[in-house]
Amino acid sequence: MKWINNFSNSHIPYYIYKLNKGDKILYNPNKIYNRSIIILHGVIYLFKIFQNKEIFPLAILKTNNIIDLEYSYETQHYYTIIALDQAYLMSFSLLNIKNKIYIKKQILFNIIYGQKLTLKQYELMNQILRHKYIKYRILQLIFLLSLEFGIIHKNKIIIPFSLSQKNLSIIIGSNKITINQIMNYLSKKTIIKYSTKKIIHIENIVNLQLLFSY
């Protein structure tokens, strides 16, 4: 509510969007955007799509992260957002803030802080994609998700939103067959449990870390 209250009190126009799990926002490549998006609640993942249909994952984002959307005819890419869980997004233009003679410092502070948090998520995704082998990408993704979102329950760590094989393949740049093979391997080793609802339970975080050395 702090974002909505601050923007309303400063008379800055904004729009609120509700996304249910699996909902997608595709930004038209034939339009120029100068918008920013604040994640008020929920978890989404963001990726670029180029004209040759190549997909480049950018980040998994959560509450208070901020996305700056810009489309350039020179780079010829556009953005897609997919909700991993129910999410509420606030869309606004930085131009409306720049044109304000008076604006609360708290809004500027929150925006800067939100962008700092988002930059961290981009860096975490880059760490995952640096790995040459898909196995290590999945291992690091699961490990980082457990740190960022994990809920401890009865000596297990639960990632509290579903991640289908299709979603995992997009996030780490692979295919569903490879994802299935690796997830089945991790399940057989009782390192994770991958439920029918596509919820990941980390059964043994120590063994998950040890696999990085193999």
Side-chain angles (χ1 to χ4, degrees):
M1 289 296 292
K2 69 175 183 180
W3 288 107
I4 295 174
N5 290 337
N6 286 337
F7 273 63
S8 296
N9 293 336
S10 297
H11 305 290
I12 300 170
Y14 62 87
Y15 301 93
I16 302 291
Y17 301 94
K18 177 185 177 183
L19 299 182
N20 292 316
K21 184 171 67 176
D23 284 352
K24 178 188 297 185
I25 297 178
L26 176 66
Y27 286 88
N28 192 326
N30 298 316
K31 292 184 179 181
I32 296 177
Y33 296 95
N34 186 16
R35 306 291 297 177
S36 295
I37 292 175
I38 300 169
I39 303 171
L40 300 177
H41 174 78
V43 182
I44 62 103
Y45 69 89
L46 172 71
F47 52 94
K48 285 183 182 178
I49 301 179
F50 294 88
Q51 280 198 333
N52 62 2
K53 305 303 180 182
E54 180 184 358
I55 296 174
F56 185 79
L58 292 174
I60 297 175
L61 302 174
K62 58 184 179 179
T63 303
N64 292 326
N65 286 155
I66 297 177
I67 307 167
D68 291 319
L69 293 178
E70 292 182 359
Y71 173 74
S72 168
Y73 288 109
E74 295 179 358
T75 55
Q76 297 290 298
H77 64 258
Y78 57 99
Y79 298 91
T80 299
I81 290 172
I82 296 181
L84 294 175
D85 202 355
Q86 186 181 83
Y88 289 88
L89 311 180
M90 171 190 280
S91 173
F92 69 99
S93 173
L94 285 173
L95 292 176
N96 290 325
I97 294 177
K98 291 177 181 177
N99 293 333
K100 288 286 183 181
I101 297 175
Y102 169 77
I103 187 170
K104 289 186 176 181
K105 291 182 180 179
Q106 189 62 39
I107 293 180
L108 297 176
F109 174 81
N110 289 339
I111 290 174
I112 292 170
Y113 182 69
Q115 290 174 332
K116 181 180 178 181
L117 292 177
T118 305
L119 181 60
K120 176 187 174 185
Q121 298 305 117
Y122 288 149
E123 291 172 347
L124 291 176
M125 182 58 69
N126 283 333
Q127 288 180 19
I128 293 169
L129 298 178
R130 284 195 196 107
H131 291 289
K132 178 180 179 181
Y133 298 107
I134 300 301
K135 168 188 171 181
Y136 294 116
R137 292 186 182 185
I138 290 182
L139 291 173
Q140 185 158 15
L141 175 65
I142 293 173
F143 184 69
L144 291 176
L145 288 176
S146 68
L147 292 177
E148 290 288 315
F149 305 100
I151 298 172
I152 298 175
H153 179 68
K154 294 182 179 179
N155 297 322
K156 300 177 183 179
I157 301 175
I158 300 171
I159 298 171
F161 49 82
S162 61
L163 280 167
S164 68
Q165 290 93 334
K166 181 179 179 180
N167 286 344
L168 286 169
S169 66
I170 292 174
I171 292 171
I172 64 173
S174 182
N175 58 71
K176 288 178 63 176
I177 294 175
T178 302
I179 298 297
N180 278 331
Q181 291 173 344
I182 296 173
M183 297 301 280
N184 287 336
Y185 171 78
L186 295 175
S187 295
K188 288 178 181 178
K189 293 291 184 179
T190 65
I191 293 171
I192 68 165
K193 179 181 177 183
Y194 193 40
S195 73
T196 55
K197 294 183 179 180
K198 309 305 179 183
I199 302 293
I200 298 174
H201 299 236
I202 296 103
E203 305 282 306
N204 194 319
I205 191 70
V206 175
N207 286 346
L208 178 66
Q209 290 177 288
L210 287 176
L211 281 177
F212 279 107
S213 61
Y214 297 154

